Amino acid sequence: MFEEFRHAIDHRHEIAKEWKERTGKPVMGYLCCVFPEEVLFACGVLPVRIVGDEGTTPHVDGHITPYGCTFCRKCVDLAAQGVYDYLDAVFVSNTCDLVSNLDYWWNELAPREELKIAGVPVRSYVNFFNYPQRITGPNALSYTMNEIRKIQQVAERYTRSFISDEDLKRALEVYDEHNRLMRELHEIRKQSPPPLSGYEAWMVEFAAHFLPKDEHNRLLRNLLEALKDRTDGPEPGIRLYLSASATDQVTSKLIDRIESYGGVVVSEDISVHSSYYWSDYSLDRPPLEAIARFSLSVPCPRSTTADPYQDMRYEHIKRTLTDYDVRGLVFYILMQCECRASEVPYLREKIESELKIPVLFLDSDYFDVDSHKTRTRVEAFLEMLR
């Protein structure tokens, strides 16, 4: 039932290369959940999320500060190894201190000759998406739209085409269906027991970062139909909510570990998973404006660590755990993730005092998510909830 999603995760690089060879169209990589990948899809480009993997980081050691986020370091290390050589362009966002500097390190450690006319670059390999520091106010929308236009121009130059409003509208229809289907999948996890585990739900959404969204929608529709008759679903467990830093195929081991000890993750707040599909597109507005409004609505911790934005994060968490019969909430923070770490004291106090839900705070290095310390604390938390 989940084999195709697992295959997309395990073979994401091979899938992208095969798609590129078959279609003759570009593949472009991006970081962060606020990036408007809809624009790339509208131009016939395959957008793929840049993530890390197991192993050490020898290529960035001595370049990027060793106390910087290991997830970010690993992404650049893979580029330096040549793993991401199939990407025609890369988009870096200013969504945290280290990510906002990855354009420099990517160019330094994985350089590529750029197309120039009369010595002037006309098509950049590494591009910067300058997301606004303030996501509200009179100028936030127009500023974001201008930044998205720059992304559109990069895609147009690579594909030698022009993205019309009709192209953008067709892309929005596909992405709007994806968000609707993902919310439908999330909704059925309110059942007791849910028809799929938290790890299975993670696989479904994570795979969407490496497949064309219309192809992923087809798989998702089939899955929703199959789940209606599923008889081998997960065993009942202690229902948990997970709010976590970048949760890819490495750090998702935490979800698997929680569920192996008798918990079941029924809802999440994860930037590489469920953070972005809760909003609707303003399809009655011009498509570029609809994309900008959607990007600004994503409850990214990077934009919500100071008043009045903290309540945006709290309201998002409250909304996504309401009616899920959650018994406990787990915060999992990568040690160097200042965006997530800075909001935890505020959110924890609100959740414990207003929602009366016990909270477990975990932090670890990217490669150390399955440590003995983490396993012991998870076991103790679940035992307390029992």
Side-chain angles (χ1 to χ4, degrees), residues 92-362:
V92 174
S93 307
N94 59 330
T95 41
C96 76
D97 287 345
L98 193 56
V99 169
S100 63
N101 289 285
L102 289 192
D103 57 335
Y104 171 79
W105 295 116
W106 202 291
N107 275 319
E108 281 290 304
L109 299 175
R112 183 176 299 182
E113 187 175 354
E114 298 180 337
L115 177 65
K116 297 180 180 180
I117 296 178
V120 178
V122 296
R123 203 170 67 182
S124 299
Y125 171 48
V126 181
N127 304 269
F128 196 77
F129 175 45
N130 199 7
Y131 196 65
Q133 292 296 320
R134 293 184 62 85
I135 58 175
T136 61
N139 300 317
L141 179 62
S142 59
Y143 177 89
T144 305
M145 289 175 64
N146 286 333
E147 290 300 310
I148 294 175
R149 285 190 186 96
K150 296 176 185 177
I151 296 170
Q152 178 175 334
Q153 291 168 356
V154 172
E156 289 173 336
R157 288 169 182 167
Y158 270 91
T159 58
R160 296 179 175 87
S161 64
F162 173 74
I163 305 177
S164 67
D165 278 359
E166 290 304 313
D167 295 326
L168 291 171
K169 288 178 181 177
R170 283 191 290 270
L172 285 179
E173 289 173 358
V174 173
Y175 276 72
D176 191 59
E177 181 187 18
H178 169 75
N179 293 355
R180 178 181 59 78
L181 291 171
M182 280 308 305
R183 291 197 298 266
E184 186 177 336
L185 183 72
H186 211 99
E187 181 73 17
I188 65 175
R189 295 166 69 192
K190 291 179 178 179
Q191 300 174 22
S192 183
L196 73 166
S197 69
Y199 188 78
E200 289 168 338
W202 168 83
M203 283 196 297
V204 172
E205 179 54 23
F206 193 61
H209 295 302
F210 314 111
L211 295 171
K213 277 293 190 295
D214 48 359
E215 170 64 13
H216 187 268
N217 287 351
R218 181 187 65 81
L219 296 177
L220 191 46
R221 287 192 296 269
N222 293 340
L223 175 66
L224 287 167
E225 192 63 32
L227 287 173
K228 295 177 181 177
D229 302 316
R230 187 179 191 186
T231 58
D232 61 342
E235 294 293 325
I238 299 174
R239 301 172 68 88
L240 300 176
Y241 185 98
L242 175 65
S243 180
S245 298
T247 305
D248 60 8
Q249 71 287 347
V250 177
T251 47
S252 64
K253 292 177 183 176
L254 175 63
I255 303 175
D256 196 38
R257 178 63 63 182
I258 287 172
E259 299 191 322
S260 70
Y261 288 154
V264 56
V265 177
V266 295
S267 188
E268 309 90 358
D269 159 47
I270 302 174
S271 60
V272 193
H273 178 20
S274 61
S275 284
Y276 66 89
Y277 56 68
W278 291 95
S279 298
D280 291 313
Y281 291 98
S282 304
L283 297 179
D284 57 331
R285 297 179 181 271
L288 201 67
E289 179 183 340
I291 294 171
R293 286 182 179 277
F294 181 83
S295 178
L296 291 170
S297 74
V298 174
C300 173
R302 169 262 192 207
S303 301
T304 56
T305 54
D307 290 336
Y309 306 125
Q310 284 180 325
D311 280 339
M312 176 184 177
R313 291 282 298 140
Y314 174 67
E315 291 300 323
H316 171 70
I317 290 176
K318 186 167 69 170
R319 171 190 178 190
T320 52
L321 60 76
T322 300
D323 299 329
Y324 285 84
D325 192 26
V326 170
R327 298 278 307 284
L329 188 148
V330 178
F331 282 111
Y332 166 66
I333 312 298
L334 291 176
M335 285 181 176
Q336 306 88 351
C337 187
E338 74 280 2
C339 295
R340 288 272 178 177
S342 60
E343 68 175 6
V344 167
Y346 174 82
L347 292 177
R348 180 172 190 163
E349 191 278 329
K350 293 271 286 185
I351 290 164
E352 290 182 331
S353 63
E354 296 187 13
L355 303 181
K356 309 301 182 185
I357 296 176
V359 173
L360 171 66
F361 175 78
L362 300 171

Side-chain angles (χ1 to χ4, degrees), residues 80-92:
Q81 292 178 40
V83 172
Y84 281 117
D85 279 356
Y86 61 87
L87 296 178
D88 294 278
V90 173
F91 292 91
V92 174

